[in-house]
Amino acid sequence: MRPLTEEETKVLFTKLSDYIGRSIERLINRSDERHCFRLVKDRVYYVSESVMKASLSIPRDSLLSLGTCFGKFTKTGKFRLHITALEYIAQYAKFKVWVKPNAEMTFLYGNNVVKAGLARITESTPQYAGVVVYSMNDIPLGFGVAAHSTDHCKDLDPMGNVVLHQADIGEYLRVEDDII
């Protein structure tokens, strides 16, 4: 377990800012306790400072995980967000998309959101912005990238992609071996 380097922090914060904007500061300086990001075997964990200090007594090779896994760094140095970060991303999301009940299962199977399944979308969502996908009951289902801006979605055909899938809560079942 080690702190992120300056380059790793920059890559992580750039990816998070696509979804939550400047709310990254609220993730770290929370009202209950300060939190930080730590790297364990190419995976980035979001952990409270008290838990992080307590984990220092555990040998490095024995430590499997700690806190919440936000994602991992690929071998090329890019950062990939995991579905385990959804709880925190959904709290501070800038852009949101709500899907109809009949489109929920399609999204949870790993498919993109098409216009026919779109119920609502945050106004002025730009193209390629990070969005959090919600059910009509305001339950976060996953996240992705807006394929088109809000204005362009109105003119889209019913089978046109609105959100490009990146992660969903169905991954807990589909890829449970790779999550941790």
Side-chain angles (χ1 to χ4, degrees), residues 1-147:
M1 175 183 70
R2 66 170 176 81
L4 299 172
T5 64
E6 191 172 322
E7 183 63 29
E8 291 168 340
T9 303
K10 181 180 175 188
V11 171
L12 171 66
F13 284 3
T14 301
K15 181 63 112 174
L16 284 176
S17 69
D18 291 344
Y19 292 93
I20 63 175
R22 295 185 177 176
S23 297
I24 296 171
E25 186 177 326
R26 287 192 225 159
L27 274 177
I28 296 170
N29 299 324
R30 290 178 32 177
S31 59
D32 55 347
E33 185 178 3
R34 284 185 54 91
H35 283 64
C36 58
F37 292 100
R38 290 292 182 251
L39 188 74
V40 178
K41 300 176 185 169
D42 290 335
R43 298 193 186 272
V44 176
Y45 291 91
Y46 177 67
V47 61
S48 68
E49 288 189 349
S50 62
V51 171
M52 191 252 322
K53 289 175 184 171
S55 71
L56 294 175
S57 63
I58 300 171
R60 184 177 276 191
D61 10 334
S62 299
L63 187 66
L64 293 176
S65 111
L66 113 129
T68 302
C69 181
F70 256 52
K72 71 176 192 173
F73 282 101
T74 63
K75 292 180 180 173
T76 59
K78 295 180 182 172
F79 185 74
R80 177 158 162 58
L81 276 172
H82 282 188
I83 189 59
T84 50
L86 178 64
E87 177 185 344
Y88 300 100
I89 292 173
Q91 289 177 19
Y92 303 113
K94 290 190 308 185
F95 304 111
K96 302 175 183 180
V97 169
W98 289 265
V99 293
K100 294 177 182 174
N102 59 355
E104 286 179 22
M105 288 308 294
T106 305
F107 181 73
L108 293 177
Y109 287 140
N111 298 314
N112 298 331
V113 176
V114 294
K115 186 184 178 203
L118 180 69
R120 293 188 330 220
I121 187 169
T122 305
E123 282 298 318
S124 70
T125 301
Q127 187 176 17
Y128 305 124
V131 295
V132 175
V133 179
Y134 288 89
S135 68
M136 289 304 293
N137 299 328
D138 283 335
I139 298 170
L141 301 175
F143 51 87
V145 175

